[in-house]
Amino acid sequence: MTDLLPSWLLLTYVGLLGAVVGSYLNVLVWRLPREQSTTRPRSACPSCGHAIRWFDNVPVLSWLVLRGRCRDCGTRISVRYPLVEAGVAVLFVALVVLLGPRLSVLSLLAVLALAGGGVAMSLIDLEHHRLPDKLTAATSVLVLLPIVAEALLTGSWSRLLTATVAAVALFVLYLGAAVVYPGGMGGGDIKLAPLLGFVLGWFGLPHAVVGAFAPFLLGVVAVLVLAVRGRVRKGSGVPFGPFMLAGTFAALLWAPAVAHWYLEVAGLA
Ligand SMILES: [Zn+2]
């Protein structure tokens, strides 16, 4: 990362950006699964239909000022909205703090785009058990643009090649998993896999390897935890998208450490 700005100011901007992105993701998460336009009409109270005034649409703050109620009819507004806004703000700041020192601005933008899209995907998948194609496509464009731009600007052809190979590899892996275990993997997961593979591959081979297996590891742990608590019913599919995304981000953050540890354990380093 460049140090154009003092870090506290930069992180403040990143946090504000996250809150605004989170606010838009709330709209996406509500409207996309219901096949509604994500830009029109303006947000309205689902109870009384009154359009939400701009000053009542400030992330987190408006909800606090209104004490979680519609200004017009007093209907409760779910605490989920400010939580998503604050959550994305914290996530963006955390990613910039943790990954900023070892990434270019363009790569960091790609990671933030994947994080934002990933939050929307996870919320929709948890609630509706599917990943809308539109969301995967839009996220893919927003993630790929900065990465391809960086490859062109810096001539990083080998990294671009690794990214492409990893994208194909993860697509094949998930396609295979869907064939072997049809109940577990959905079409949305298979379509998301190449995007995650591409980002992981762009970061390097250790990331791609760790990122390919981390989701399955996390998924197994989650199913065991749920089983122990008696929460798994037969036939109730656990949505896998959130695990794919969590595994990818775990790999982006910690793959070098995992690879180093593995080589040490194997006596190779
Ligand atoms: Zn209302």
Side-chain angles (χ1 to χ4, degrees):
M1 269 296 280
T2 49
D3 18 40
L4 295 172
L5 296 168
S7 54
W8 64 267
L9 190 58
L10 177 72
L11 292 180
T12 306
Y13 283 138
V14 169
L16 290 174
L17 174 72
V20 171
V21 168
S23 179
Y24 183 60
L25 295 180
N26 275 323
V27 177
L28 283 188
V29 167
W30 175 264
R31 292 187 181 180
L32 264 183
R34 293 170 177 81
E35 309 286 342
Q36 297 169 351
S37 162
T38 51
T39 48
R40 276 161 204 287
R42 286 185 48 207
S43 299
C45 167
S47 186
C48 69
H50 203 294
I52 293 168
R53 299 162 184 82
W54 66 267
F55 53 81
D56 285 342
N57 215 358
V58 180
V60 184
L61 292 181
S62 290
W63 190 91
L64 293 173
V65 169
L66 294 169
R67 297 173 194 224
R69 290 182 183 281
C70 169
R71 186 184 288 278
D72 296 293
C73 68
T75 301
R76 278 210 163 283
I77 306 166
S78 171
V79 71
R80 177 169 136 171
Y81 295 105
L83 284 183
V84 168
E85 289 157 356
V88 176
V90 170
L91 181 63
F92 274 23
V93 169
L95 287 170
V96 169
V97 168
L98 293 170
L99 290 173
R102 55 183 159 111
L103 288 191
S104 69
V105 175
L106 284 170
S107 287
L108 201 52
L109 278 177
V111 169
L112 294 184
L114 184 63
V119 167
M121 286 177 194
S122 298
L123 291 172
I124 291 175
D125 203 9
L126 286 171
E127 192 176 348
H128 302 274
H129 285 222
R130 67 190 192 86
L131 293 172
D133 289 347
K134 273 187 195 165
L135 182 56
T136 309
T139 307
S140 300
V141 171
L142 289 175
V143 171
L144 258 62
L145 274 179
I147 290 181
V148 172
E150 186 177 340
L152 291 172
L153 289 170
T154 58
S156 312
W157 309 120
S158 66
R159 287 182 72 192
L160 202 58
L161 182 68
T162 310
T164 309
V165 170
V168 174
L170 241 64
F171 177 70
V172 171
L173 177 71
Y174 278 87
L175 198 62
V179 171
V180 174
Y181 180 50
M185 223 58 71
D189 299 330
I190 301 169
K191 290 173 200 163
L192 173 61
L195 171 64
L196 301 183
F198 189 88
V199 175
L200 289 162
W202 175 251
F203 274 67
L205 204 53
H207 296 81
V209 173
V210 173
F213 295 105
F216 296 97
L217 203 63
L218 291 175
V220 167
V221 171
V223 167
L224 287 178
V225 169
L226 289 174
V228 167
R229 301 166 96 203
R231 298 278 291 275
V232 176
R233 280 159 294 147
K234 261 213 164 109
S236 70
V238 177
F240 199 61
F243 293 104
M244 295 171 69
L245 288 153
T248 298
F249 277 93
L252 292 182
L253 290 168
W254 299 299
V258 171
H260 182 76
W261 168 81
Y262 181 80
L263 291 175
E264 251 179 15
V265 168
L268 298 170

